[in-house]
Amino acid sequence: MVSLRLLVALTLSSFLLTCLLCLSQETNYSSSKIGRGYRLISIEDTHDGALVGLLQVKQKNNIYGADIPLLRFYVKHETENRLRVHITDANNKRWEVPYDLLPREQPPPLKKNIKRLKKKKPLSVSEYSSSELVFGYTSDPFSFKVKRKSNGDTLFDSNSNESDPFGSLVFKDQYLEISTKLPKDASLYGLGENTQPHGMRLHPNDPYTLYTTDISAVNLNSDLYGSHPVYMDLRNEGGKPYAHGVLLLNSNGMDVFYKGNYLTYKIIGGVFDFYFFAGPTPLNVVDQYTTLVGRPAPMPYWAFGFHQCRWGYHNLSVIEDVVENYKKAKIPLDVIWNDDDHMDGHKDFTVNPINYPLPKLLNFLDRIHSIGMKYIVINDPGIAVNTNYGVYQRGMANDVFIKYEGEPFMAMVWPGAVYFPDFLNPKTVSWWGDEIRRFHELVPIDGLWIDMNEVSNFCTGKCTIPKGRFCPLQGEKLPNSTCCLDCTNITSTRWDDPPYKINASGKEAPIGFKTIATSAVHYNGVLEYDAHSLFGFSEVIATHKALHELQGKRPFVLSRSTYVGSGKYAAHWTGDNKGTWEDLRYSISTVLNFGIFGMPMVGADICGFYPAPTEELCNRWIEVGAFYPFSRDHSSVISPRQELYRWESVAESARNALGMRYKLLPYLYTLNYEAHISGAPIARPLFFSFPNYVQCYGLSTQFLLGSSLMISPVLEQGKTEVEALFPPGTWYSLFDLTQVIVSKDGNYVTLNAPLHEINVHLYQNTILPMQQGGMVSKDARTTPFSLIVTFPAGANEGEAKGNLFIDDDEMPDMKLGNGYSTYVEFHARVKEGSVKVWSEVQEGKFALDQGLVIDTINVLGLSYGSGELVRIEIDGEPSSGVSNVKVSTNEHKYLYKEGDGEKKTVMVGLKGLNIPVGKRFSLTWKMGS
């Protein structure tokens, strides 16, 4: 007879075995098919031309939870080039990205037409089209396709056959899955933020997890500070390029598995809310994307100058010395930054009275402001729990903090115990704006740097302030990020321990690990589980609003954590990188990705955040970083100082590279305007300008500024040459306009690249506006202009164009028609030896009032025999009437050339023109034969 004790033991063993088998089964399901999908049971047109239908689950299972039995799908061509497919629970409202946070069209109310829909009979197959995108569906099991009408190409196909490694649509409360087939030759870009070791093109089998996380950018293939569930797909069909974009607007944590010939989303909540953008060019895709999520914010002119920062400027005299040493080294500098060194005990909106005495700080700011320099400080979202701290007192009085079990959720960052503001609460937005106003009245800052907003927490779980010991730890030489609160793990709810584990932190960490517990609650009962990745986005909206209302000027906000639409309000830097050659290379891919994400004002910490870079690496990094859209040297308190003047060799490279950047400021600022009106990235992959040239689809070691200025940096130790890819056409060296490369079919060319030089080339058919540079952008922007006009080398006929936008950069809006801006289109033509350069001007008064003039025009690539220039005319009058116009002719030197033999070409320069920028002009001459 079996004893009771043995029977209990056997029963317990059986139970544990069953649990293990269930656990094993659920683990295995992460790579296998779950269920049999849904069937379409009804569908109808709506009054506004959309489709609404009902989907019924075919076979229920409990893998990752119960299936939602009835779904409502809604499809609409919102524009001629944008299609939306929205799938949600038909009976219960689910979490979506708030419509007031990211404004967009709302689908019809859920239950309004369900009864009527249940009586409708579905069609077996149907199509629904706009001018370019065609939506098609299959009823049982339900799947949908999106096709391009012009060539019939399938852009998205969720159908799953028995032979496919992925399954049909899955929709549970905490697990959603959908897949699409892909052609193997498609090139995909996006799905970030992550550090991609293989370059910016998505690499099959690399993990792509989206969940905002404070782990440094040195972690490869991990979910970093931002969540951008959007990708661009570039294909070449019979020699013709086609690009389209796919956005899944969902803020919950997700894994995206890209396998080369298919892609699968696995999401832990929310809805399927797909947007498809027809393109067909990469620029079209970003234009269409930013039309939906928001155009990039206009940046002030000074933001395109050089910035210097360090965590470890322990007192005011240090930053005073930094500014002075940049001046002595003749290295341009526009903005000096403080990390939290200026704060009193690491508390937001405070000033350390000992190390940064307020009278001396204000005197310093008066001095730098008088020469046009700016000052920016950091701000972390954690508000110190301190009853003597006014910011905390007012926050508590206004009830602005995220809650857990009815009380503010306690976490720890640099000041010790903190509470986190709930920026989904309108009262928090008002309180935050008031705190920024109070601080600005104390210290006239010029922008705000919001950091740690993923949100970052040094502790995990439910925490309390310890009794009998200090927290944070006292007497430490360096700030301590060790958790010193008393904490217990929170795993009791399905929100803190969901059934499906995303690859958080690159190691399937609990999703509440070192952040806010995901069962914490925001305004109106919103769970942190759903809103986690929106924290930085909601904070940046509140910060931008506060600065705009405070100053009445164009705000500058730099944010570490970002989401879809953050570019409408902020700039971004790529976070904590390392001073290594690998990190230098990775930075290019991340910068280019953020251009696709609609955040064109982006850069990486030049020379690396930590540890100390080598002298050679810092030389090469400033040569790249001088051409990031956002250019800032930043380092950690645990690293030695690395300002650019600290090595004479680096100072020389900085003078060279930043000297060119400051000459290019009018071009960069015009690209800022183009980004604001069309979404066009400032820094772009080469395939944006050369989508026909498939060799550049995977290129992540060179990049373009705008459409035609190519940067080809040295990215390897010890190299004094660089192998650079030149797409077909004529390219001119920007540092020596007489040097030419003619790449007829596209070629790699070996370029000399000694330590202090970077290769920058300007493409044919371009007119590039430049100025003379300076030590600060305020001075540089008043200097005379020069125009560089590039024609294909030796062409009998050619055309070139460029543009220039000038405005009062303190105005909040960046647009024409406000009386504070001027827009100029430049044109040039060569035909059988006759050359014409002219301009068309809109709103010329502003530029005329500034006294801006064009002094020099250099025209490149002209054919030349043995004669001289004859009869130069400006606005129809011979230039002989303009006594100080000087003409020069310089023969081009070919570094590489395909075809056309030894045909001689020249650059013709005209100097001393003194043409007002705000006035239309026409300049003509004929080349002698």
PDB file of all heavy atoms in Angstrom, residues 319-339:
ATOM      1  N   ILE A 319      34.959  75.271 -16.974  1.00  0.00           N
ATOM      2  CA  ILE A 319      34.336  75.560 -18.275  1.00  0.00           C
ATOM      3  C   ILE A 319      34.783  76.918 -18.813  1.00  0.00           C
ATOM      4  O   ILE A 319      34.833  77.121 -20.025  1.00  0.00           O
ATOM      5  CB  ILE A 319      32.800  75.435 -18.247  1.00  0.00           C
ATOM      6  CG1 ILE A 319      32.146  76.413 -17.297  1.00  0.00           C
ATOM      7  CG2 ILE A 319      32.365  74.019 -17.922  1.00  0.00           C
ATOM      8  CD1 ILE A 319      30.626  76.452 -17.447  1.00  0.00           C
ATOM      9  N   GLU A 320      35.135  77.845 -17.906  1.00  0.00           N
ATOM     10  CA  GLU A 320      35.707  79.114 -18.373  1.00  0.00           C
ATOM     11  C   GLU A 320      37.025  78.847 -19.096  1.00  0.00           C
ATOM     12  O   GLU A 320      37.292  79.432 -20.166  1.00  0.00           O
ATOM     13  CB  GLU A 320      35.924  80.059 -17.200  1.00  0.00           C
ATOM     14  CG  GLU A 320      34.644  80.605 -16.605  1.00  0.00           C
ATOM     15  CD  GLU A 320      34.885  81.496 -15.396  1.00  0.00           C
ATOM     16  OE1 GLU A 320      35.677  81.090 -14.510  1.00  0.00           O
ATOM     17  OE2 GLU A 320      34.290  82.573 -15.335  1.00  0.00           O
ATOM     18  N   ASP A 321      37.855  77.961 -18.543  1.00  0.00           N
ATOM     19  CA  ASP A 321      39.124  77.609 -19.182  1.00  0.00           C
ATOM     20  C   ASP A 321      38.888  76.897 -20.514  1.00  0.00           C
ATOM     21  O   ASP A 321      39.640  77.114 -21.489  1.00  0.00           O
ATOM     22  CB  ASP A 321      39.949  76.706 -18.265  1.00  0.00           C
ATOM     23  CG  ASP A 321      40.548  77.462 -17.096  1.00  0.00           C
ATOM     24  OD1 ASP A 321      40.568  78.708 -17.137  1.00  0.00           O
ATOM     25  OD2 ASP A 321      40.983  76.798 -16.126  1.00  0.00           O
ATOM     26  N   VAL A 322      37.889  76.028 -20.572  1.00  0.00           N
ATOM     27  CA  VAL A 322      37.607  75.311 -21.815  1.00  0.00           C
ATOM     28  C   VAL A 322      37.287  76.296 -22.934  1.00  0.00           C
ATOM     29  O   VAL A 322      37.828  76.207 -24.044  1.00  0.00           O
ATOM     30  CB  VAL A 322      36.445  74.316 -21.615  1.00  0.00           C
ATOM     31  CG1 VAL A 322      35.976  73.751 -22.962  1.00  0.00           C
ATOM     32  CG2 VAL A 322      36.871  73.175 -20.696  1.00  0.00           C
ATOM     33  N   VAL A 323      36.422  77.246 -22.654  1.00  0.00           N
ATOM     34  CA  VAL A 323      36.052  78.243 -23.663  1.00  0.00           C
ATOM     35  C   VAL A 323      37.278  79.037 -24.089  1.00  0.00           C
ATOM     36  O   VAL A 323      37.505  79.272 -25.287  1.00  0.00           O
ATOM     37  CB  VAL A 323      34.951  79.179 -23.123  1.00  0.00           C
ATOM     38  CG1 VAL A 323      34.712  80.340 -24.074  1.00  0.00           C
ATOM     39  CG2 VAL A 323      33.660  78.391 -22.911  1.00  0.00           C
ATOM     40  N   GLU A 324      38.090  79.420 -23.145  1.00  0.00           N
ATOM     41  CA  GLU A 324      39.286  80.217 -23.458  1.00  0.00           C
ATOM     42  C   GLU A 324      40.293  79.404 -24.271  1.00  0.00           C
ATOM     43  O   GLU A 324      40.919  79.929 -25.212  1.00  0.00           O
ATOM     44  CB  GLU A 324      39.923  80.719 -22.163  1.00  0.00           C
ATOM     45  CG  GLU A 324      41.134  81.621 -22.360  1.00  0.00           C
ATOM     46  CD  GLU A 324      40.808  82.897 -23.125  1.00  0.00           C
ATOM     47  OE1 GLU A 324      39.654  83.365 -23.059  1.00  0.00           O
ATOM     48  OE2 GLU A 324      41.710  83.433 -23.805  1.00  0.00           O
ATOM     49  N   ASN A 325      40.452  78.132 -23.941  1.00  0.00           N
ATOM     50  CA  ASN A 325      41.430  77.298 -24.651  1.00  0.00           C
ATOM     51  C   ASN A 325      40.991  76.999 -26.079  1.00  0.00           C
ATOM     52  O   ASN A 325      41.833  76.873 -26.973  1.00  0.00           O
ATOM     53  CB  ASN A 325      41.677  76.004 -23.881  1.00  0.00           C
ATOM     54  CG  ASN A 325      42.533  76.218 -22.651  1.00  0.00           C
ATOM     55  OD1 ASN A 325      43.410  77.078 -22.636  1.00  0.00           O
ATOM     56  ND2 ASN A 325      42.284  75.444 -21.599  1.00  0.00           N
ATOM     57  N   TYR A 326      39.695  76.860 -26.312  1.00  0.00           N
ATOM     58  CA  TYR A 326      39.228  76.722 -27.695  1.00  0.00           C
ATOM     59  C   TYR A 326      39.556  77.977 -28.489  1.00  0.00           C
ATOM     60  O   TYR A 326      39.982  77.908 -29.654  1.00  0.00           O
ATOM     61  CB  TYR A 326      37.719  76.431 -27.735  1.00  0.00           C
ATOM     62  CG  TYR A 326      37.409  74.949 -27.781  1.00  0.00           C
ATOM     63  CD1 TYR A 326      37.136  74.241 -26.618  1.00  0.00           C
ATOM     64  CD2 TYR A 326      37.413  74.249 -28.990  1.00  0.00           C
ATOM     65  CE1 TYR A 326      36.881  72.879 -26.648  1.00  0.00           C
ATOM     66  CE2 TYR A 326      37.159  72.895 -29.034  1.00  0.00           C
ATOM     67  CZ  TYR A 326      36.892  72.210 -27.861  1.00  0.00           C
ATOM     68  OH  TYR A 326      36.655  70.861 -27.905  1.00  0.00           O
ATOM     69  N   LYS A 327      39.369  79.125 -27.849  1.00  0.00           N
ATOM     70  CA  LYS A 327      39.675  80.385 -28.527  1.00  0.00           C
ATOM     71  C   LYS A 327      41.163  80.481 -28.846  1.00  0.00           C
ATOM     72  O   LYS A 327      41.558  80.846 -29.963  1.00  0.00           O
ATOM     73  CB  LYS A 327      39.256  81.549 -27.627  1.00  0.00           C
ATOM     74  CG  LYS A 327      39.497  82.923 -28.226  1.00  0.00           C
ATOM     75  CD  LYS A 327      39.041  84.020 -27.251  1.00  0.00           C
ATOM     76  CE  LYS A 327      39.344  85.400 -27.798  1.00  0.00           C
ATOM     77  NZ  LYS A 327      38.934  86.460 -26.829  1.00  0.00           N
ATOM     78  N   LYS A 328      42.017  80.116 -27.868  1.00  0.00           N
ATOM     79  CA  LYS A 328      43.467  80.168 -28.095  1.00  0.00           C
ATOM     80  C   LYS A 328      43.898  79.225 -29.205  1.00  0.00           C
ATOM     81  O   LYS A 328      44.809  79.522 -29.981  1.00  0.00           O
ATOM     82  CB  LYS A 328      44.204  79.812 -26.796  1.00  0.00           C
ATOM     83  CG  LYS A 328      44.163  80.889 -25.739  1.00  0.00           C
ATOM     84  CD  LYS A 328      44.919  80.434 -24.490  1.00  0.00           C
ATOM     85  CE  LYS A 328      44.885  81.488 -23.394  1.00  0.00           C
ATOM     86  NZ  LYS A 328      45.559  81.015 -22.150  1.00  0.00           N
ATOM     87  N   ALA A 329      43.248  78.051 -29.274  1.00  0.00           N
ATOM     88  CA  ALA A 329      43.604  77.054 -30.290  1.00  0.00           C
ATOM     89  C   ALA A 329      42.996  77.358 -31.647  1.00  0.00           C
ATOM     90  O   ALA A 329      43.261  76.641 -32.612  1.00  0.00           O
ATOM     91  CB  ALA A 329      43.158  75.668 -29.824  1.00  0.00           C
ATOM     92  N   LYS A 330      42.182  78.422 -31.690  1.00  0.00           N
ATOM     93  CA  LYS A 330      41.519  78.820 -32.943  1.00  0.00           C
ATOM     94  C   LYS A 330      40.646  77.696 -33.509  1.00  0.00           C
ATOM     95  O   LYS A 330      40.615  77.449 -34.718  1.00  0.00           O
ATOM     96  CB  LYS A 330      42.542  79.300 -33.977  1.00  0.00           C
ATOM     97  CG  LYS A 330      43.230  80.601 -33.591  1.00  0.00           C
ATOM     98  CD  LYS A 330      44.178  81.086 -34.678  1.00  0.00           C
ATOM     99  CE  LYS A 330      44.650  82.514 -34.422  1.00  0.00           C
ATOM    100  NZ  LYS A 330      45.143  82.777 -33.070  1.00  0.00           N
ATOM    101  N   ILE A 331      39.967  77.010 -32.602  1.00  0.00           N
ATOM    102  CA  ILE A 331      38.998  75.973 -32.982  1.00  0.00           C
ATOM    103  C   ILE A 331      37.603  76.542 -32.751  1.00  0.00           C
ATOM    104  O   ILE A 331      37.303  77.015 -31.655  1.00  0.00           O
ATOM    105  CB  ILE A 331      39.183  74.688 -32.149  1.00  0.00           C
ATOM    106  CG1 ILE A 331      40.592  74.124 -32.342  1.00  0.00           C
ATOM    107  CG2 ILE A 331      38.138  73.646 -32.524  1.00  0.00           C
ATOM    108  CD1 ILE A 331      40.920  72.977 -31.388  1.00  0.00           C
ATOM    109  N   PRO A 332      36.731  76.514 -33.752  1.00  0.00           N
ATOM    110  CA  PRO A 332      35.385  77.095 -33.574  1.00  0.00           C
ATOM    111  C   PRO A 332      34.627  76.419 -32.437  1.00  0.00           C
ATOM    112  O   PRO A 332      34.740  75.211 -32.208  1.00  0.00           O
ATOM    113  CB  PRO A 332      34.701  76.808 -34.926  1.00  0.00           C
ATOM    114  CG  PRO A 332      35.809  76.604 -35.897  1.00  0.00           C
ATOM    115  CD  PRO A 332      36.933  75.987 -35.110  1.00  0.00           C
ATOM    116  N   LEU A 333      33.839  77.201 -31.720  1.00  0.00           N
ATOM    117  CA  LEU A 333      33.008  76.679 -30.627  1.00  0.00           C
ATOM    118  C   LEU A 333      31.783  77.577 -30.470  1.00  0.00           C
ATOM    119  O   LEU A 333      31.919  78.788 -30.317  1.00  0.00           O
ATOM    120  CB  LEU A 333      33.790  76.632 -29.313  1.00  0.00           C
ATOM    121  CG  LEU A 333      33.018  76.110 -28.094  1.00  0.00           C
ATOM    122  CD1 LEU A 333      32.633  74.646 -28.275  1.00  0.00           C
ATOM    123  CD2 LEU A 333      33.837  76.290 -26.811  1.00  0.00           C
ATOM    124  N   ASP A 334      30.611  76.962 -30.494  1.00  0.00           N
ATOM    125  CA  ASP A 334      29.361  77.716 -30.349  1.00  0.00           C
ATOM    126  C   ASP A 334      28.667  77.487 -29.025  1.00  0.00           C
ATOM    127  O   ASP A 334      28.017  78.393 -28.507  1.00  0.00           O
ATOM    128  CB  ASP A 334      28.390  77.349 -31.476  1.00  0.00           C
ATOM    129  CG  ASP A 334      28.327  78.414 -32.548  1.00  0.00           C
ATOM    130  OD1 ASP A 334      29.245  78.490 -33.383  1.00  0.00           O
ATOM    131  OD2 ASP A 334      27.355  79.183 -32.536  1.00  0.00           O
ATOM    132  N   VAL A 335      28.766  76.268 -28.471  1.00  0.00           N
ATOM    133  CA  VAL A 335      27.955  75.935 -27.301  1.00  0.00           C
ATOM    134  C   VAL A 335      28.813  75.202 -26.270  1.00  0.00           C
ATOM    135  O   VAL A 335      29.501  74.243 -26.599  1.00  0.00           O
ATOM    136  CB  VAL A 335      26.744  75.038 -27.685  1.00  0.00           C
ATOM    137  CG1 VAL A 335      25.801  74.909 -26.481  1.00  0.00           C
ATOM    138  CG2 VAL A 335      25.996  75.600 -28.890  1.00  0.00           C
ATOM    139  N   ILE A 336      28.748  75.675 -25.025  1.00  0.00           N
ATOM    140  CA  ILE A 336      29.374  74.975 -23.915  1.00  0.00           C
ATOM    141  C   ILE A 336      28.260  74.357 -23.066  1.00  0.00           C
ATOM    142  O   ILE A 336      27.231  74.992 -22.830  1.00  0.00           O
ATOM    143  CB  ILE A 336      30.272  75.925 -23.071  1.00  0.00           C
ATOM    144  CG1 ILE A 336      31.051  75.145 -22.019  1.00  0.00           C
ATOM    145  CG2 ILE A 336      29.476  77.058 -22.458  1.00  0.00           C
ATOM    146  CD1 ILE A 336      32.170  74.302 -22.585  1.00  0.00           C
ATOM    147  N   TRP A 337      28.472  73.102 -22.644  1.00  0.00           N
ATOM    148  CA  TRP A 337      27.430  72.338 -21.951  1.00  0.00           C
ATOM    149  C   TRP A 337      27.881  71.980 -20.541  1.00  0.00           C
ATOM    150  O   TRP A 337      29.070  71.805 -20.279  1.00  0.00           O
ATOM    151  CB  TRP A 337      27.155  71.020 -22.689  1.00  0.00           C
ATOM    152  CG  TRP A 337      26.575  71.149 -24.058  1.00  0.00           C
ATOM    153  CD1 TRP A 337      27.101  71.797 -25.135  1.00  0.00           C
ATOM    154  CD2 TRP A 337      25.348  70.566 -24.511  1.00  0.00           C
ATOM    155  NE1 TRP A 337      26.278  71.665 -26.219  1.00  0.00           N
ATOM    156  CE2 TRP A 337      25.199  70.905 -25.874  1.00  0.00           C
ATOM    157  CE3 TRP A 337      24.368  69.776 -23.908  1.00  0.00           C
ATOM    158  CZ2 TRP A 337      24.103  70.491 -26.642  1.00  0.00           C
ATOM    159  CZ3 TRP A 337      23.276  69.366 -24.662  1.00  0.00           C
ATOM    160  CH2 TRP A 337      23.141  69.725 -26.018  1.00  0.00           C
ATOM    161  N   ASN A 338      26.895  71.816 -19.653  1.00  0.00           N
ATOM    162  CA  ASN A 338      27.128  71.191 -18.357  1.00  0.00           C
ATOM    163  C   ASN A 338      26.323  69.913 -18.255  1.00  0.00           C
ATOM    164  O   ASN A 338      25.110  69.898 -18.518  1.00  0.00           O
ATOM    165  CB  ASN A 338      26.714  72.112 -17.208  1.00  0.00           C
ATOM    166  CG  ASN A 338      27.886  72.858 -16.584  1.00  0.00           C
ATOM    167  OD1 ASN A 338      27.846  74.056 -16.397  1.00  0.00           O
ATOM    168  ND2 ASN A 338      28.958  72.130 -16.247  1.00  0.00           N
ATOM    169  N   ASP A 339      27.019  68.821 -17.873  1.00  0.00           N
ATOM    170  CA  ASP A 339      26.325  67.631 -17.407  1.00  0.00           C
ATOM    171  C   ASP A 339      25.831  67.998 -15.996  1.00  0.00           C
ATOM    172  O   ASP A 339      25.632  69.183 -15.721  1.00  0.00           O
ATOM    173  CB  ASP A 339      27.282  66.430 -17.432  1.00  0.00           C
ATOM    174  CG  ASP A 339      26.576  65.101 -17.626  1.00  0.00           C
ATOM    175  OD1 ASP A 339      25.630  64.859 -16.873  1.00  0.00           O
ATOM    176  OD2 ASP A 339      26.954  64.331 -18.520  1.00  0.00           O
TER     177      ASP A 339
END
